[in-house]
Amino acid sequence: MPAHMTPEEFRRHGRQAVDWVAAYHERVESLPVASRVAPGEVRAGLPAHPPEQGEPFESLLEDLDRVIVPGLTHWQHPSFFGYFPANASGPAMLADLISAGLGVQGMLWATSPAGTELEQHVLDWLAELLDLPAAFRSTGAGGGVIQDTASTATLTALVAALHRATDGAARRDGLAGAGRQCAVYASDQAHSSVTKAVVVAGLGETALRAVRVDPSTQAMDPGHLAELVAADLAAGVLPVLVVATVGTTSTAAVDPVPEIGALCRAHGIWLHVDAAYAGVATVCPELRWLNAGLAHADSYATNPHKWLLTNFDCDAFYVADRGALLGALSILPEYLRNAATESGAVVDYRDWHIQLGRRFRALKLWAVIRWYGAEGLREHIRRHVAAAGALAGWVRADDRFELPAPANLSLVCFRLRGPDEPNEKLHARINESGAAYLSHTRVGGAYTLRMAIGGTHTRLDHVERAWHLVQRLTTDPPGPETTSGSRS
Ligand SMILES: *Cc1c(COP(=O)(O)O)cnc(C)c1O
């Protein structure tokens, strides 16, 4: 019998671990946001071989401080403004701990009825909070399921879309079952996971049509989408899926879903709306314009693990009609047969995604919604949207800078006017300072800094300090008369 941790030891070390996390959150603001380790440095701090004898839990906690923390970029630092946020919060962390403790496998209703029913219920709550169309509720033809990520949601939508577009032939015969080439459409600003989905699904990258965007908004040009679909139809290609993005990764642009949806409906094309970052913002009634056109969507995904206080991973994926999804993915081997499944009275979530086994992630979303309430969630979003509005104003007031795309929601993209190089240098200086962390993108080809506001503990004063840092670290890019000679 190995030396399992006794319940008494678990209590003691559990308190140590919780204390460690609480202390980490208290001191994270004093740490440099981005890790400064060199490649290989973390591994060099670890023993080459696993221990032959078990070690005390305390030595693990010591190594956490010694080796791991210096090798972290602190995503929970209030001055972390890179990529999109990855919120962690007290209730979500504790519920995740409970989920780990329960250690249940919710692949079937029968393998843990509460796992399935809580997930259905909480996703109905979320649909209500975000004011999503009624078709996405479990009480209608569709329903929601928690996926690990928005990337998986896009791939899952593609598999369901292929099933529907080929009347089931793709499931039986693979792509040969389609009888012709298939096409997927997304704007050139869509997330890279759309490319990955066409690759993984076996369609290949050439199946993906990059729809142009309006350069002033970075949103999909529906006229170009219509042209691409018409050209494919004329060439005998089968249009399978359109991915519209609500809140693009680069600039938080919002594709015109009503126009895109009307086109999809006219041609029977599956519409998936990827609202990974922005979707959760519709908890605020004044941001519900983001939901325009969702009545046309066959599927929809948003990530509470980005901006809704639920630590990674938690993607809420909804379908308007679960028929195609289940048709594409249901498999019932003998060893999973059970009376509840045969009765048809229950949902078996293993038919709603790619993998079989699944974690009990609904617990953390449930904990978040109950702890904060709709009011608390709205405050969280509003605080960041207001801070982004203030930042955009400060950027506009400093004529060294420009906003190459409109500031949307809690994301502000800005750059020094002129060439890329001073922007790249400024960006490096900001991140090297340790006082704030930003990531970058290109807008119309130009190197652009992105400041995504949305950390659990990020307030207006953090944003203000970061902006002052940006200003302080800015050296005026050389004007036409000051060339390299005058300033080496
Ligand atoms: C972040 C993001 C994704 C990918 O999210 P994962 O959950 O990490 O897969 C997809 N689409 C958009 C628009 C995103 O912003």
Side-chain angles (χ1 to χ4, degrees), residues 61-148:
L61 290 177
E62 280 163 30
D63 284 356
L64 211 49
D65 288 318
R66 185 180 64 84
V67 190
I68 304 299
V69 171
L72 295 176
T73 289
H74 301 288
W75 283 67
Q76 304 310 314
H77 193 300
S79 301
F80 181 94
F81 300 108
Y83 313 102
F84 279 127
N87 285 176
S89 73
M93 289 185 277
L94 292 177
D96 226 5
L97 174 64
I98 294 169
S99 167
L102 297 174
V104 299
Q105 270 283 4
M107 52 205 180
L108 305 175
W109 178 88
T111 60
S112 256
T116 297
E117 294 193 15
L118 182 68
E119 186 159 325
Q120 291 180 288
H121 207 74
V122 169
L123 287 176
D124 280 352
W125 277 9
L126 184 68
E128 181 182 325
L129 285 168
L130 305 184
D131 198 27
L132 300 180
F136 291 154
R137 314 277 171 97
S138 65
T139 44
V145 58
I146 298 180
Q147 304 266 352
D148 52 6

Side-chain angles (χ1 to χ4, degrees), residues 233-487:
L233 287 171
V237 174
L238 176 63
V240 170
L241 171 73
V242 174
V243 179
T245 312
V246 169
T248 60
T249 312
S250 198
T251 65
V254 177
D255 287 345
V257 178
E259 286 94 324
I260 297 167
L263 184 100
C264 287
R265 187 147 292 187
H267 294 284
I269 309 172
W270 188 289
L271 173 62
H272 175 64
V273 174
D274 177 1
Y277 148 71
V280 297
T282 61
V283 69
C284 301
E286 70 274 22
L287 297 175
R288 300 249 163 98
W289 57 272
L290 292 164
N291 287 341
L294 276 195
H296 293 303
D298 294 290
S299 56
Y300 172 85
T302 188
N303 284 353
H305 74 224
K306 276 185 170 161
W307 194 18
L308 204 69
L309 298 160
T310 309
N311 42 282
F312 192 84
D313 51 350
C314 185
D315 167 84
F317 176 62
Y318 292 94
V319 287
D321 180 352
R322 54 190 175 265
L325 179 62
L326 299 184
L329 295 177
S330 297
I331 291 180
L332 185 58
E334 184 55 34
Y335 49 81
L336 293 180
R337 285 189 184 279
N338 67 88
T341 296
E342 313 274 311
S343 78
V346 301
V347 157
D348 289 325
Y349 271 135
R350 56 96 209 256
D351 293 336
W352 292 59
H353 47 51
I354 292 161
Q355 83 281 11
L356 172 64
R358 59 199 327 272
R359 306 200 304 118
F360 195 175
R361 283 175 295 221
L363 270 180
K364 61 187 173 188
L365 190 53
W366 189 42
V368 165
I369 295 173
R370 292 185 63 171
W371 176 268
Y372 289 96
E375 269 184 15
L377 298 175
R378 286 185 204 118
E379 266 176 52
H380 173 67
I381 300 289
R382 282 180 182 143
R383 187 157 49 101
H384 297 144
V385 172
L391 172 62
W394 300 327
V395 176
R396 269 187 225 103
D398 185 332
D399 55 18
R400 293 172 297 177
F401 290 89
E402 61 183 343
L403 293 162
N408 283 326
L409 301 168
S410 71
L411 178 66
V412 181
C413 294
F414 62 90
R415 66 189 306 281
L416 288 163
R417 293 178 194 278
D420 284 346
E421 204 199 323
N423 282 288
E424 291 172 32
K425 285 195 172 139
L426 171 62
H427 186 199
R429 271 185 235 123
I430 295 165
N431 289 353
E432 280 158 17
S433 78
Y437 185 86
L438 275 62
S439 58
H440 81 281
T441 186
R442 284 186 186 273
V443 181
Y447 194 95
T448 298
L449 283 78
R450 278 172 87 260
M451 200 155 149
I453 300 163
T456 302
H457 299 292
T458 303
R459 298 182 311 259
L460 179 63
D461 54 296
H462 296 108
V463 176
E464 193 171 8
R465 259 178 283 156
W467 172 243
H468 288 154
L469 176 76
V470 170
Q471 288 183 307
R472 210 162 54 241
L473 295 176
T474 297
T475 49
D476 291 340
E481 66 277 45
T482 52
T483 45
S484 50
S486 60
R487 28 165 86 214

